């Protein structure tokens, strides 16, 4: 079974490579659980659709989750490099893993 984006003109005979999927960021530090940070990370995978409620409320600090539209054609990233600015203004690279549910 595949979950597809709702379309009023849905044709079951037409093939599509766009699906909705939950992605998670298991190594994302809790201070980056804000909507803007997660939306920016998720945009590397596809179009943001829905942020998990536990992520919004920061009740599960072990993993941030977001629902995105994913194009199955092409490579999907397994990690994202993000720059983190320290108090000294120095930017440090941090790799954030992406898990596809």
């Amino acid at each position: 079974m595949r979950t597809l984006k709702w379309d009023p003109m849905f044709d079951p005979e037409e093939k599509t490579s766009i699906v909705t999927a939950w992605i998670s960021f298991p190594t994302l530090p809790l201070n980056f659980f804000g909507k803007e940070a997660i939306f920016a990370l998720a945009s590397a995978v596809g179009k943001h659709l829905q942020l998990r409620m536990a992520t919004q409320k920061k009740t599960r600090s072990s993993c941030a989750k977001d629902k995105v539209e994913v194009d199955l054609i092409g490579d999907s990233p397994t990690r994202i490099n993000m720059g983190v600015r320290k108090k000294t203004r120095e930017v440090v690279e941090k790799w954030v893993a992406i898990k596809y549910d």
Side-chain angles (χ1 to χ4, degrees):
M1 181 174 93
R2 285 182 29 194
T3 305
L4 303 173
K5 179 181 173 184
W6 184 82
D7 181 1
M9 304 303 288
F10 175 71
D11 180 2
E13 301 299 320
E14 182 181 327
K15 296 189 186 239
T16 180
S17 63
I18 306 294
V19 297
T20 58
W22 284 98
I23 59 171
S24 55
F25 304 102
T27 61
L28 187 66
L30 186 59
N31 56 325
F32 290 103
F33 270 44
K35 289 179 183 180
E36 293 81 16
I38 295 173
F39 293 174
L41 292 170
S43 70
V45 176
K47 180 182 173 192
H48 157 78
L49 297 175
Q50 178 184 358
L51 191 60
R52 182 177 72 166
M53 188 61 68
T55 301
Q56 285 182 19
K57 295 185 177 195
K58 299 179 184 170
T59 56
R60 290 198 183 151
S61 60
S62 61
C63 186
K65 283 192 168 191
D66 193 33
K67 187 188 284 186
V68 294
E69 284 184 355
V70 179
D71 191 349
L72 297 176
I73 296 175
D75 295 331
S76 297
T78 57
R79 63 185 187 151
I80 301 170
N81 189 3
M82 83 180 197
V84 179
R85 187 180 307 271
K86 292 184 157 193
K87 290 181 182 179
T88 60
R89 299 262 207 225
E90 176 188 5
V91 176
V92 179
E93 290 184 354
K94 173 155 180 63
W95 285 98
V96 177
I98 302 171
K99 181 181 171 193
Y100 296 83
D101 294 348

